[in-house]
Amino acid sequence: MSLPLYTKSQLALRNGQDKPQIWVAYQGLIYDVTESRLWRNGKHYEHWAGQDLTEELKDAPHTEGVFAKFEVVGKIAPPNPPR
């Protein structure tokens, strides 16, 4: 099964404010965390939804295993090459 690609701009809209979905990305995959009580209103501690959290996970008190309980809804699209 191939996953749909989303740009970082499209991901940014799924922040729990602009659209009802709450999505975050980690290592190129996009996870739907809408149903997580820890992501209410698109915020989880000092982290905001709608962005790639790969770099921020280093400082988290949990491992990447936390993503296993969430549905993967897409992948981050590679940036457009400059023309």
Side-chain angles (χ1 to χ4, degrees):
M1 171 187 113
S2 75
L3 293 166
L5 294 176
Y6 293 94
T7 65
K8 287 196 174 189
S9 297
Q10 290 171 313
L11 172 62
L13 291 174
R14 272 66 175 199
N15 60 12
Q17 309 288 317
D18 297 304
K19 291 185 180 278
Q21 301 98 342
I22 302 174
W23 292 358
V24 296
Y26 177 70
Q27 292 190 337
L29 295 177
I30 300 172
Y31 295 85
D32 185 344
V33 297
T34 306
E35 298 302 316
S36 172
R37 62 181 176 76
L38 299 175
W39 278 99
R40 288 286 174 247
N41 302 317
K43 189 167 194 278
H44 175 64
Y45 297 98
E46 72 275 7
H47 306 290
W48 291 95
Q51 55 187 317
D52 187 341
L53 300 178
T54 302
E55 288 301 310
E56 296 183 36
L57 194 75
K58 291 185 276 213
D59 300 326
H62 53 70
T63 66
E64 69 225 27
V66 72
F67 291 105
K69 59 182 146 189
F70 299 110
E71 178 186 0
V72 176
V73 292
K75 290 171 42 174
I76 297 275
N80 290 332
R83 295 174 183 241

Coordinates of all heavy atoms in Angstrom, one line a residue:
M1 N 0.8 -1.2 0.0 CA 0.0 0.0 0.0 C 0.9 1.2 0.0 O 1.8 1.4 0.8 CB -0.9 0.0 1.3 CG -1.6 1.2 1.5 SD -2.5 1.2 3.0 CE -1.6 2.5 3.9
S2 N 0.6 2.1 -0.9 CA 1.4 3.3 -0.9 C 0.7 4.4 -0.2 O -0.5 4.6 -0.2 CB 1.7 3.8 -2.4 OG 0.6 4.4 -3.0
L3 N 1.4 5.2 0.6 CA 0.9 6.3 1.4 C 0.8 7.6 0.6 O 1.7 7.8 -0.2 CB 1.7 6.5 2.6 CG 1.7 5.3 3.6 CD1 2.9 5.5 4.6 CD2 0.4 5.3 4.4
P4 N -0.2 8.4 0.8 CA -0.2 9.7 0.2 C 0.9 10.6 0.6 O 1.4 10.5 1.8 CB -1.6 10.3 0.5 CG -2.0 9.5 1.7 CD -1.3 8.2 1.7
L5 N 1.4 11.5 -0.2 CA 2.4 12.4 0.1 C 1.8 13.8 0.5 O 0.8 14.2 -0.1 CB 3.3 12.7 -1.0 CG 4.2 11.5 -1.5 CD1 5.0 11.9 -2.7 CD2 5.1 11.1 -0.4
Y6 N 2.3 14.4 1.6 CA 1.8 15.7 2.0 C 3.0 16.6 2.1 O 4.1 16.2 2.6 CB 1.1 15.6 3.4 CG -0.2 14.8 3.4 CD1 -0.2 13.5 3.7 CD2 -1.4 15.5 3.0 CE1 -1.4 12.8 3.6 CE2 -2.6 14.7 3.0 CZ -2.6 13.4 3.3 OH -3.7 12.7 3.3
T7 N 2.9 17.8 1.7 CA 3.9 18.8 1.9 C 4.0 19.3 3.3 O 3.0 19.0 4.1 CB 3.7 20.1 1.0 OG1 2.5 20.7 1.4 CG2 3.6 19.7 -0.5
K8 N 5.0 19.9 3.7 CA 5.1 20.4 5.1 C 4.0 21.5 5.3 O 3.5 21.6 6.4 CB 6.5 21.0 5.4 CG 7.5 19.9 5.5 CD 8.8 20.3 6.2 CE 9.7 19.1 6.4 NZ 10.8 19.4 7.2
S9 N 3.6 22.2 4.3 CA 2.6 23.2 4.4 C 1.2 22.5 4.7 O 0.4 23.0 5.5 CB 2.4 24.0 3.1 OG 3.6 24.8 2.9
Q10 N 1.0 21.4 4.0 CA -0.3 20.6 4.2 C -0.3 20.0 5.6 O -1.3 20.0 6.3 CB -0.4 19.5 3.2 CG -0.7 20.1 1.8 CD -0.7 19.0 0.7 OE1 0.3 18.2 0.7 NE2 -1.7 18.9 -0.1
L11 N 0.9 19.5 6.1 CA 1.0 19.0 7.4 C 0.7 20.1 8.4 O 0.0 19.9 9.4 CB 2.4 18.4 7.6 CG 2.8 18.0 9.1 CD1 1.9 16.9 9.6 CD2 4.2 17.6 9.1
A12 N 1.2 21.3 8.2 CA 1.1 22.4 9.1 C -0.4 22.8 9.4 O -0.7 23.3 10.5 CB 1.8 23.6 8.6
L13 N -1.3 22.5 8.4 CA -2.7 22.8 8.6 C -3.4 21.8 9.5 O -4.4 22.1 10.0 CB -3.4 22.8 7.2 CG -3.0 23.9 6.3 CD1 -3.7 23.7 4.9 CD2 -3.5 25.3 6.9
R14 N -2.7 20.6 9.7 CA -3.3 19.6 10.6 C -2.8 19.8 12.0 O -2.2 19.0 12.6 CB -3.0 18.2 10.1 CG -4.0 17.7 9.1 CD -4.0 18.5 7.8 NE -4.9 17.8 6.8 CZ -4.7 18.1 5.5 NH1 -3.8 18.9 5.1 NH2 -5.6 17.6 4.7
N15 N -3.0 21.0 12.6 CA -2.4 21.4 13.9 C -3.4 21.4 15.0 O -3.1 21.9 16.1 CB -1.7 22.7 13.7 CG -2.6 23.8 13.3 OD1 -3.8 23.7 13.3 ND2 -2.1 25.0 12.9
G16 N -4.7 21.0 14.7 CA -5.7 21.1 15.7 C -6.4 22.4 15.8 O -7.3 22.6 16.6
Q17 N -5.9 23.4 15.0 CA -6.5 24.7 15.0 C -7.1 25.0 13.7 O -8.3 25.4 13.6 CB -5.4 25.8 15.3 CG -4.6 25.5 16.6 CD -5.3 25.7 17.9 OE1 -6.0 26.7 18.0 NE2 -5.1 24.8 18.8
D18 N -6.3 24.9 12.6 CA -6.8 25.3 11.3 C -7.8 24.2 10.7 O -8.7 24.5 10.0 CB -5.7 25.4 10.3 CG -4.8 26.6 10.7 OD1 -5.3 27.7 10.8 OD2 -3.6 26.4 10.9
K19 N -7.5 23.0 11.0 CA -8.4 21.8 10.6 C -8.6 20.9 11.9 O -7.7 21.0 12.8 CB -7.7 21.0 9.5 CG -7.6 21.8 8.2 CD -7.1 20.9 7.1 CE -7.0 21.6 5.8 NZ -8.3 21.7 5.1
P20 N -9.6 20.1 11.9 CA -9.8 19.3 13.1 C -8.8 18.2 13.3 O -8.6 17.7 14.4 CB -11.2 18.7 12.9 CG -11.5 18.8 11.4 CD -10.7 20.0 10.9
Q21 N -8.1 17.8 12.2 CA -7.1 16.7 12.4 C -5.9 17.2 13.1 O -5.5 18.4 13.0 CB -6.6 16.2 11.0 CG -7.7 15.6 10.2 CD -8.2 16.6 9.1 OE1 -7.9 17.8 9.2 NE2 -8.8 16.1 8.1
I22 N -5.3 16.3 13.9 CA -4.0 16.6 14.6 C -3.0 15.6 14.2 O -3.1 14.4 14.5 CB -4.2 16.6 16.1 CG1 -5.3 17.6 16.6 CG2 -2.9 16.9 16.8 CD1 -5.7 17.5 18.0
W23 N -2.1 16.1 13.3 CA -1.0 15.2 12.8 C 0.3 15.7 13.2 O 0.6 16.9 13.4 CB -1.1 15.2 11.3 CG -2.3 14.6 10.6 CD1 -3.3 14.0 11.2 CD2 -2.6 14.5 9.2 NE1 -4.3 13.5 10.3 CE2 -3.8 13.9 9.1 CE3 -1.9 15.0 8.1 CZ2 -4.4 13.7 7.8 CZ3 -2.5 14.8 6.9 CH2 -3.7 14.1 6.7
V24 N 1.3 14.7 13.3 CA 2.7 15.0 13.5 C 3.5 14.1 12.6 O 3.0 13.0 12.3 CB 3.1 14.9 15.0 CG1 2.4 15.9 15.9 CG2 2.9 13.5 15.5
A25 N 4.7 14.5 12.3 CA 5.6 13.7 11.5 C 6.8 13.2 12.3 O 7.2 14.0 13.2 CB 6.0 14.4 10.2
Y26 N 7.2 12.1 12.0 CA 8.5 11.5 12.6 C 9.2 10.7 11.6 O 8.5 9.7 11.0 CB 8.1 10.7 13.9 CG 9.4 10.1 14.5 CD1 10.3 10.9 15.1 CD2 9.6 8.8 14.4 CE1 11.4 10.4 15.7 CE2 10.7 8.2 15.0 CZ 11.7 9.0 15.6 OH 12.8 8.5 16.1
Q27 N 10.4 11.0 11.3 CA 11.2 10.2 10.3 C 10.5 10.0 9.0 O 10.5 8.9 8.4 CB 11.7 8.9 10.9 CG 12.7 9.2 12.0 CD 13.4 7.9 12.5 OE1 12.9 6.8 12.3 NE2 14.5 8.1 13.1
G28 N 9.9 11.1 8.5 CA 9.3 11.0 7.2 C 7.8 10.5 7.1 O 7.2 10.6 6.1
L29 N 7.3 9.9 8.2 CA 6.0 9.4 8.2 C 5.1 10.4 9.0 O 5.5 11.0 10.0 CB 5.9 8.0 8.9 CG 6.6 6.9 8.2 CD1 6.5 5.6 9.0 CD2 6.1 6.7 6.8
I30 N 3.8 10.5 8.6 CA 2.9 11.3 9.3 C 1.9 10.5 10.1 O 1.3 9.6 9.5 CB 2.1 12.2 8.2 CG1 3.1 13.1 7.5 CG2 1.1 13.1 8.9 CD1 2.5 13.8 6.3
Y31 N 1.7 10.8 11.3 CA 0.9 10.1 12.2 C -0.3 10.9 12.6 O -0.2 12.1 12.9 CB 1.6 9.7 13.5 CG 2.8 8.8 13.3 CD1 4.0 9.2 12.9 CD2 2.6 7.4 13.4 CE1 5.1 8.4 12.6 CE2 3.6 6.5 13.1 CZ 4.9 7.0 12.8 OH 5.9 6.1 12.5
D32 N -1.5 10.3 12.7 CA -2.7 11.0 13.2 C -2.8 10.8 14.7 O -3.1 9.7 15.2 CB -3.9 10.3 12.5 CG -5.2 11.1 12.8 OD1 -5.3 11.8 13.8 OD2 -6.2 10.8 12.1
V33 N -2.6 11.9 15.4 CA -2.7 11.8 16.9 C -4.0 12.5 17.4 O -4.1 12.8 18.6 CB -1.5 12.4 17.5 CG1 -0.2 11.6 17.2 CG2 -1.3 13.9 17.2
T34 N -5.0 12.7 16.5 CA -6.2 13.4 16.8 C -6.9 12.8 18.1 O -7.4 13.6 18.9 CB -7.2 13.3 15.6 OG1 -6.5 13.8 14.5 CG2 -8.4 14.1 15.9
E35 N -6.9 11.5 18.2 CA -7.6 10.9 19.3 C -6.8 10.8 20.6 O -7.4 10.4 21.7 CB -8.1 9.4 18.9 CG -9.0 9.4 17.8 CD -10.3 10.2 18.0 OE1 -10.9 10.1 19.1 OE2 -10.7 10.9 17.1
S36 N -5.6 11.2 20.6 CA -4.8 11.2 21.8 C -5.1 12.3 22.8 O -5.1 13.5 22.4 CB -3.3 11.3 21.5 OG -2.5 11.4 22.6
R37 N -5.4 11.9 24.0 CA -5.8 13.0 25.0 C -4.5 13.9 25.3 O -4.7 15.0 25.8 CB -6.3 12.3 26.3 CG -5.3 11.4 27.0 CD -5.9 10.8 28.2 NE -5.0 9.9 28.9 CZ -3.9 10.3 29.6 NH1 -3.6 11.5 29.8 NH2 -3.1 9.4 30.1
L38 N -3.4 13.4 25.0 CA -2.1 14.2 25.2 C -1.9 15.2 24.1 O -1.0 16.0 24.3 CB -0.9 13.2 25.3 CG -1.0 12.2 26.4 CD1 0.2 11.3 26.4 CD2 -1.0 12.9 27.8
W39 N -2.7 15.2 23.1 CA -2.5 16.2 22.0 C -3.7 17.1 21.9 O -4.0 17.6 20.8 CB -2.3 15.5 20.7 CG -0.8 15.1 20.5 CD1 -0.3 13.9 20.7 CD2 0.2 15.9 20.1 NE1 1.0 13.9 20.5 CE2 1.4 15.1 20.1 CE3 0.3 17.3 19.8 CZ2 2.7 15.7 19.7 CZ3 1.6 17.8 19.4 CH2 2.7 17.0 19.4
R40 N -4.5 17.3 22.9 CA -5.6 18.2 22.9 C -5.2 19.6 22.4 O -4.2 20.1 22.8 CB -6.3 18.3 24.3 CG -7.0 17.0 24.7 CD -8.3 16.9 24.0 NE -8.9 15.6 24.3 CZ -9.0 14.6 23.5 NH1 -8.6 14.7 22.2 NH2 -9.6 13.5 23.8
N41 N -6.0 20.1 21.5 CA -5.8 21.5 21.0 C -4.5 21.6 20.2 O -4.0 22.7 19.9 CB -5.9 22.5 22.0 CG -7.2 22.5 22.8 OD1 -8.2 22.4 22.1 ND2 -7.2 22.6 24.1
G42 N -3.9 20.4 19.8 CA -2.8 20.4 19.0 C -1.4 20.7 19.7 O -0.4 21.1 19.1
K43 N -1.5 20.6 21.0 CA -0.2 20.9 21.8 C 0.0 19.7 22.7 O -0.9 19.2 23.3 CB -0.4 22.2 22.6 CG 0.9 22.7 23.2 CD 0.7 24.1 23.7 CE 2.1 24.7 24.1 NZ 2.6 24.4 25.3
H44 N 1.3 19.3 22.8 CA 1.7 18.3 23.7 C 3.0 18.8 24.4 O 4.0 18.9 23.8 CB 2.0 17.0 22.9 CG 2.6 15.9 23.7 ND1 1.9 15.2 24.7 CD2 3.8 15.3 23.6 CE1 2.7 14.3 25.2 NE2 3.8 14.3 24.6
Y45 N 2.8 19.2 25.7 CA 3.9 19.8 26.4 C 4.3 21.0 25.6 O 3.5 21.9 25.3 CB 5.0 18.8 26.8 CG 4.4 17.8 27.7 CD1 4.0 16.5 27.2 CD2 4.2 18.0 29.1 CE1 3.5 15.5 28.1 CE2 3.7 17.1 29.9 CZ 3.3 15.8 29.4 OH 2.8 14.9 30.3
E46 N 5.6 21.1 25.3 CA 6.0 22.3 24.5 C 6.0 22.1 23.0 O 6.6 22.9 22.3 CB 7.4 22.8 25.0 CG 8.6 22.0 24.6 CD 8.8 20.8 25.6 OE1 8.0 20.6 26.5 OE2 9.8 20.1 25.4
H47 N 5.5 21.0 22.6 CA 5.5 20.6 21.1 C 4.1 21.0 20.5 O 3.1 20.7 21.1 CB 5.8 19.2 20.9 CG 7.1 18.8 21.6 ND1 8.3 19.2 21.2 CD2 7.3 18.0 22.7 CE1 9.2 18.7 22.0 NE2 8.6 18.0 22.9
W48 N 4.2 21.4 19.3 CA 2.9 21.8 18.5 C 2.8 20.8 17.4 O 3.7 20.3 16.8 CB 3.0 23.2 18.0 CG 3.0 24.2 19.1 CD1 4.0 24.8 19.7 CD2 1.8 24.7 19.7 NE1 3.6 25.7 20.6 CE2 2.2 25.7 20.6 CE3 0.4 24.5 19.5 CZ2 1.3 26.4 21.4 CZ3 -0.5 25.2 20.3 CH2 0.0 26.1 21.2
A49 N 1.5 20.4 17.2 CA 1.2 19.5 16.1 C 1.3 20.3 14.7 O 1.5 21.5 14.7 CB -0.3 19.1 16.2
G50 N 1.3 19.5 13.7 CA 1.4 20.0 12.3 C 2.8 20.2 11.9 O 3.1 20.9 10.9
Q51 N 3.8 19.6 12.6 CA 5.2 19.7 12.2 C 5.9 18.4 12.4 O 5.4 17.4 12.9 CB 5.8 20.8 13.0 CG 5.7 20.7 14.4 CD 6.3 22.0 15.1 OE1 7.3 22.5 14.7 NE2 5.6 22.5 16.1
D52 N 7.1 18.4 11.9 CA 8.0 17.2 12.0 C 8.7 17.2 13.3 O 9.4 18.2 13.6 CB 9.0 17.3 10.8 CG 9.9 16.0 10.7 OD1 10.0 15.3 11.7 OD2 10.5 15.8 9.7
L53 N 8.5 16.2 14.1 CA 9.1 16.2 15.5 C 10.3 15.3 15.6 O 10.8 15.0 16.6 CB 8.0 15.7 16.4 CG 6.7 16.5 16.6 CD1 5.8 15.9 17.5 CD2 7.1 17.9 17.0
T54 N 10.9 14.9 14.4 CA 12.0 14.0 14.4 C 13.2 14.5 15.3 O 13.7 13.8 16.2 CB 12.6 13.8 13.0 OG1 11.5 13.2 12.2 CG2 13.7 12.8 13.0
E55 N 13.5 15.8 15.1 CA 14.6 16.4 15.9 C 14.3 16.5 17.4 O 15.1 16.4 18.3 CB 15.1 17.7 15.3 CG 15.8 17.5 14.0 CD 17.1 16.7 14.1 OE1 17.9 16.9 15.1 OE2 17.2 15.7 13.4
E56 N 13.0 16.9 17.6 CA 12.6 17.1 19.0 C 12.5 15.9 19.9 O 12.5 16.0 21.1 CB 11.2 17.9 19.0 CG 11.4 19.2 18.3 CD 10.1 20.0 18.3 OE1 9.3 19.9 19.3 OE2 9.8 20.7 17.3
L57 N 12.3 14.7 19.2 CA 12.2 13.5 20.0 C 13.4 13.2 20.9 O 13.2 12.5 21.9 CB 11.8 12.3 19.1 CG 11.3 11.1 19.9 CD1 9.9 11.3 20.4 CD2 11.4 9.8 19.1
K58 N 14.5 13.7 20.5 CA 15.7 13.4 21.3 C 15.6 13.9 22.8 O 16.1 13.3 23.7 CB 16.9 14.1 20.7 CG 17.4 13.6 19.4 CD 18.7 14.3 18.9 CE 18.3 15.5 18.2 NZ 19.2 15.9 17.2
D59 N 14.8 15.0 22.9 CA 14.6 15.6 24.3 C 13.4 15.0 25.0 O 13.1 15.4 26.1 CB 14.5 17.1 24.2 CG 15.7 17.7 23.5 OD1 16.8 17.2 23.8 OD2 15.6 18.7 22.8
A60 N 12.6 14.1 24.4 CA 11.4 13.6 25.0 C 11.7 12.5 26.0 O 12.7 11.8 25.9 CB 10.5 13.0 23.9
P61 N 10.9 12.4 27.0 CA 11.1 11.3 28.0 C 10.6 9.9 27.5 O 10.6 9.0 28.3 CB 10.2 11.8 29.2 CG 9.1 12.6 28.5 CD 9.7 13.2 27.3
H62 N 10.2 9.8 26.3 CA 9.8 8.5 25.7 C 10.6 8.2 24.4 O 11.2 9.1 23.9 CB 8.3 8.5 25.5 CG 7.8 9.7 24.7 ND1 8.1 9.8 23.3 CD2 7.1 10.7 25.0 CE1 7.5 10.9 22.9 NE2 6.9 11.5 23.9
T63 N 10.4 7.0 23.9 CA 11.1 6.6 22.7 C 10.1 6.8 21.5 O 9.0 7.1 21.7 CB 11.6 5.2 22.8 OG1 10.4 4.3 22.8 CG2 12.5 5.0 24.0
E64 N 10.7 6.5 20.3 CA 9.8 6.5 19.1 C 8.8 5.5 19.2 O 7.8 5.5 18.4 CB 10.7 6.3 17.9 CG 11.3 5.0 17.8 CD 12.7 4.9 17.4 OE1 13.5 5.9 17.7 OE2 13.2 4.0 16.8
G65 N 8.8 4.5 20.1 CA 7.8 3.5 20.2 C 6.4 4.0 20.4 O 5.4 3.4 20.2
V66 N 6.4 5.3 20.9 CA 5.1 5.9 21.2 C 4.3 6.1 20.0 O 3.1 6.1 20.0 CB 5.4 7.3 22.0 CG1 5.9 8.3 21.0 CG2 4.1 7.8 22.6
F67 N 5.0 6.2 18.8 CA 4.2 6.3 17.5 C 3.5 5.1 17.1 O 2.6 5.1 16.3 CB 5.2 6.8 16.5 CG 5.7 8.2 16.7 CD1 6.9 8.5 17.1 CD2 4.8 9.3 16.5 CE1 7.4 9.8 17.4 CE2 5.3 10.6 16.7 CZ 6.6 10.8 17.2
A68 N 3.9 3.9 17.6 CA 3.3 2.6 17.2 C 1.8 2.6 17.4 O 1.1 1.9 16.7 CB 4.0 1.5 17.9
K69 N 1.3 3.3 18.4 CA -0.1 3.2 18.6 C -1.0 4.1 17.8 O -2.2 4.1 17.8 CB -0.4 3.5 20.1 CG 0.0 4.8 20.6 CD -0.3 4.9 22.1 CE 0.8 5.7 22.8 NZ 0.7 5.6 24.2
F70 N -0.3 4.9 16.9 CA -1.1 5.8 16.0 C -1.0 5.4 14.6 O -0.1 4.8 14.1 CB -0.5 7.3 16.2 CG -0.6 7.8 17.5 CD1 0.6 8.0 18.3 CD2 -1.8 8.1 18.1 CE1 0.5 8.4 19.6 CE2 -1.9 8.6 19.4 CZ -0.7 8.8 20.2
E71 N -2.1 5.7 13.9 CA -2.2 5.4 12.5 C -1.3 6.3 11.6 O -1.2 7.5 11.8 CB -3.7 5.6 12.0 CG -3.9 5.3 10.5 CD -5.3 5.6 10.1 OE1 -6.1 6.1 10.9 OE2 -5.5 5.4 8.9
V72 N -0.6 5.6 10.7 CA 0.2 6.4 9.7 C -0.7 6.8 8.6 O -1.4 6.0 8.0 CB 1.4 5.5 9.1 CG1 2.1 6.3 8.0 CG2 2.3 5.1 10.2
V73 N -0.8 8.1 8.3 CA -1.7 8.6 7.3 C -1.1 9.1 6.1 O -1.7 9.4 5.1 CB -2.6 9.7 7.9 CG1 -3.6 9.1 8.9 CG2 -1.8 10.9 8.5
G74 N 0.3 9.2 6.1 CA 1.0 9.7 4.9 C 2.4 9.8 5.1 O 3.0 9.4 6.1
K75 N 3.1 10.4 4.1 CA 4.5 10.6 4.2 C 4.8 12.1 3.8 O 4.0 12.7 3.1 CB 5.3 9.7 3.1 CG 5.2 8.3 3.5 CD 5.7 7.3 2.6 CE 6.8 7.2 1.7 NZ 7.0 6.0 1.0
I76 N 5.9 12.6 4.3 CA 6.3 14.0 4.0 C 6.8 13.9 2.5 O 7.7 13.1 2.2 CB 7.4 14.5 4.9 CG1 6.9 14.5 6.4 CG2 8.0 15.8 4.4 CD1 6.2 15.8 6.7
A77 N 6.3 14.8 1.7 CA 6.8 14.9 0.3 C 8.1 15.6 0.3 O 8.4 16.5 1.1 CB 5.8 15.8 -0.5
P78 N 9.0 15.1 -0.6 CA 10.3 15.8 -0.6 C 10.1 17.2 -1.1 O 9.2 17.5 -1.9 CB 11.1 14.9 -1.7 CG 10.1 14.1 -2.4 CD 8.9 14.0 -1.5
P79 N 11.0 18.1 -0.7 CA 10.8 19.5 -1.2 C 11.0 19.6 -2.7 O 11.8 18.8 -3.2 CB 11.9 20.3 -0.4 CG 12.8 19.3 0.2 CD 12.1 17.9 0.2
N80 N 10.4 20.5 -3.3 CA 10.5 20.7 -4.7 C 12.0 21.2 -5.0 O 12.4 22.1 -4.3 CB 9.5 21.8 -5.2 CG 8.1 21.3 -5.2 OD1 7.9 20.1 -5.3 ND2 7.2 22.2 -5.1
P81 N 12.6 20.6 -6.0 CA 14.0 21.1 -6.3 C 13.9 22.5 -6.9 O 12.9 22.8 -7.6 CB 14.4 20.1 -7.4 CG 13.2 19.4 -7.9 CD 12.1 19.5 -6.9
P82 N 14.9 23.3 -6.6 CA 14.9 24.6 -7.2 C 15.0 24.6 -8.7 O 15.6 23.7 -9.3 CB 16.2 25.3 -6.6 CG 17.0 24.2 -6.0 CD 16.1 23.0 -5.8
R83 N 14.4 25.6 -9.3 CA 14.4 25.6 -10.8 C 15.4 26.5 -11.3 O 15.8 27.5 -10.7 CB 13.0 26.1 -11.3 CG 12.0 25.1 -11.0 CD 10.6 25.6 -11.3 NE 9.6 24.7 -10.9 CZ 8.8 24.0 -11.7 NH1 8.8 24.3 -13.0 NH2 7.9 23.2 -11.3

